[in-house]
């Protein structure tokens, strides 16, 4: 028994070392001279602190302080334009569920210092590569699990009630609308990667309209993940970047060659039927058609695209990140990557 434990410890140490090495794929540029200090505006705390005050006065105060975000919050996230702002606030403040959820959020996130530190580092790298990138106002809120990361006019919202930890009692209660394969990623360590991913998709790299084949979508998603490789703090693991469990990442790594063979043998790479290709790109508990007893990792098209892009960049060390992200020829990236993983 003792020997087994020791072997397991050695195995886990090896896995950790591998994950750590995989994060250090490329040397990082020096961003120490970039003047940036990101703060997250705690709208959730401001709103809750005002619950005993006059709703009309609170409405005026929040409207002045939070502008477009507050309008979106009141009319899209928790209410509708059919009701006056003060009516929505009064109803919200009397709701025990709102009180319970906000107290839970505050206990998990008394401050967001760690997230602010990692966001500052991440956006320093983003500004290094894209100096003209505009950094939005980051605003945290609670919406009763309605929104996780909305993007609006000059703001990026952070729904803290969607990051309470995978074992939160609240997620067990809403399992019918939010399945466990999603809520297991509702943990604090996912905040910064999801912000970076959302910002990349929404602000920097909108997907080209002519990306219709599975291959073009795989490569596009792979480029986004490679971008995360370059800008996220180096201690963030591959599994967190893509949203896999440790077991799912190990499965994808183990069967990389078989996954690629499956795409080739079934002529999926140039498929344009949305319904057929979306199963390889969408969130889910597994990827249909791959693995036994539903044990495969989900969105294996996205994962494979990431490996192709990494191989392409390894083969072409002089290509810059900016050049990669601007390259929309998926076939070129595939061909020049020399991607040929071995089957088991």
């Amino acid at each position: 028994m003792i020997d087994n434990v020791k072997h397991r410890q050695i195995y886990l140490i090896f896995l950790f070392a591998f994950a750590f090495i995989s994060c250090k794929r490329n040397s990082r540029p020096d961003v120490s001279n970039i003047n940036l200090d990101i703060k997250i505006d705690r709208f959730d705390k401001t709103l809750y602190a005002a619950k005993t005050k006059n709703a009309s006065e609170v409405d005026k105060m929040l409207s002045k302080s939070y502008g477009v975000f507050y309008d979106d919050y009141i009319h899209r996230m928790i209410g509708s334009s059919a009701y006056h702002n003060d009516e929505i606030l009064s109803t919200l403040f009397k709701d025990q569920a709102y009180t319970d959820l906000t107290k839970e959020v505050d206990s998990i996130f008394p401050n967001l210092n760690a997230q602010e530190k990692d966001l500052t580092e991440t956006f320093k790298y983003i500004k290094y590569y894209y100096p003209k990138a505009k950094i939005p106002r980051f605003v945290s809120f609670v919406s009763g699990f309605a929104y996780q990361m909305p993007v609006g006019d000059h703001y990026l919202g952070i729904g803290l009630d969607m990051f309470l930890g995978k074992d939160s009692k609240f997620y067990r209660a809403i399992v019918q609308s939010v399945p466990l394969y999603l809520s297991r990623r509702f943990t604090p360590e996912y905040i910064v990667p999801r912000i970076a991913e959302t910002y990349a998709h929404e602000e920097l790299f909108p997907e080209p309209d002519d990306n219709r084949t599975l291959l073009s979508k795989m490569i596009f998603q792979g480029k986004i993940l490679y971008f995360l490789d370059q800008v996220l703090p180096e201690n963030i693991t591959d599994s967190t970047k893509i949203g896999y469990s440790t077991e799912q990442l190990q499965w994808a790594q183990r069967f990389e060659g078989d996954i690629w063979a499956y795409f080739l043998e079934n002529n999926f790479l140039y498929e344009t039927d949305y319904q057929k290709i979306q199963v390889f790109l969408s969130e889910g508990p597994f990827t249909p058609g791959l693995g036994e007893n539903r044990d495969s990792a989900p969105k294996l098209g996205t994962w494979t695209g990431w490996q192709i892009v990494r191989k392409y960049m390894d083969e072409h060390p002089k290509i810059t990140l900016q050049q990669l992200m601007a390259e929309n020829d998926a076939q070129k990236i595939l061909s020049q990557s020399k991607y040929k993983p071995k089957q088991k």
Side-chain angles (χ1 to χ4, degrees), residues 29-266:
D30 181 8
V31 294
S32 59
N33 63 337
I34 296 177
N35 186 23
L36 189 64
D37 185 18
I38 287 180
K39 298 297 181 185
I40 299 171
D41 200 325
R42 292 298 297 265
F43 174 81
D44 55 302
K45 283 181 175 286
T46 303
L47 179 64
Y48 188 74
K51 72 188 296 278
T52 59
K53 300 177 182 178
N54 178 273
S56 181
E57 293 301 316
V58 172
D59 174 54
K60 292 177 183 176
M61 180 269 289
L62 294 176
S63 182
K64 181 179 179 181
S65 300
Y66 290 93
V68 175
F69 170 80
Y70 175 64
D71 190 61
D72 287 347
Y73 181 78
I74 285 291
H75 295 138
R76 299 182 184 181
M77 300 185 205
I78 64 166
S80 75
S81 56
Y83 297 91
H84 293 297
N85 292 7
D86 53 355
E87 290 180 291
I88 296 171
L89 286 175
S90 295
T91 302
L92 181 68
F93 289 155
K94 293 174 185 175
D95 189 343
Q96 187 61 41
Y98 163 72
T99 297
D100 293 343
L101 183 56
T102 302
K103 286 183 176 179
E104 179 73 6
V105 166
D106 203 47
S107 71
I108 301 294
F109 300 106
N111 63 67
L112 294 172
N113 295 344
Q115 287 76 20
E116 289 170 340
K117 176 178 177 292
D118 284 351
L119 273 181
T120 296
E121 179 182 342
T122 295
F123 275 86
K124 279 188 175 185
Y125 285 116
I126 290 175
K127 291 291 282 185
Y128 174 86
Y129 291 112
Y130 295 92
K132 294 182 180 180
K134 295 179 180 178
I135 300 175
R137 182 183 188 181
F138 297 99
V139 186
S140 64
F141 65 94
V142 171
S143 68
F145 318 109
Y147 289 85
Q148 186 181 55
M149 207 154 281
V151 177
D153 189 11
H154 302 301
Y155 77 77
L156 193 155
I158 306 164
L160 292 180
D161 49 332
M162 305 285 271
F163 295 99
L164 295 175
K166 64 184 179 66
D167 296 322
S168 171
K169 61 185 178 183
F170 292 98
Y171 302 149
R172 292 194 294 273
I174 61 170
V175 70
Q176 294 299 322
S177 55
V178 182
L180 293 177
Y181 72 81
L182 285 178
S183 65
R184 71 165 185 78
R185 300 199 302 270
F186 290 178
T187 60
E189 60 264 29
Y190 272 93
I191 291 178
V192 173
R194 292 292 74 79
I195 289 174
E197 180 185 39
T198 300
Y199 181 82
H201 274 288
E202 298 293 333
E203 301 295 332
L204 295 178
F205 315 115
E207 184 170 9
D209 291 335
D210 55 357
N211 271 15
R212 299 200 176 154
T213 65
L214 175 61
L215 176 63
S216 64
K217 291 181 177 294
M218 287 167 60
I219 298 299
F220 174 77
Q221 297 296 344
K223 291 196 302 179
I224 295 291
L225 283 162
Y226 186 85
F227 174 79
L228 297 186
D229 285 337
Q230 311 311 309
V231 302
L232 286 174
E234 292 182 273
N235 64 338
I236 294 179
T237 63
D238 285 357
S239 57
T240 304
K241 290 171 194 167
I242 195 171
Y244 281 178
S245 66
T246 301
E247 293 75 20
Q248 288 172 335
L249 181 63
Q250 291 170 4
W251 191 97
Q253 291 170 334
R254 180 183 178 189
F255 293 106
E256 183 175 359
D258 299 275
I259 296 164
W260 185 237
Y262 178 80
F263 287 137
L264 295 179
E265 290 165 4
N266 290 279

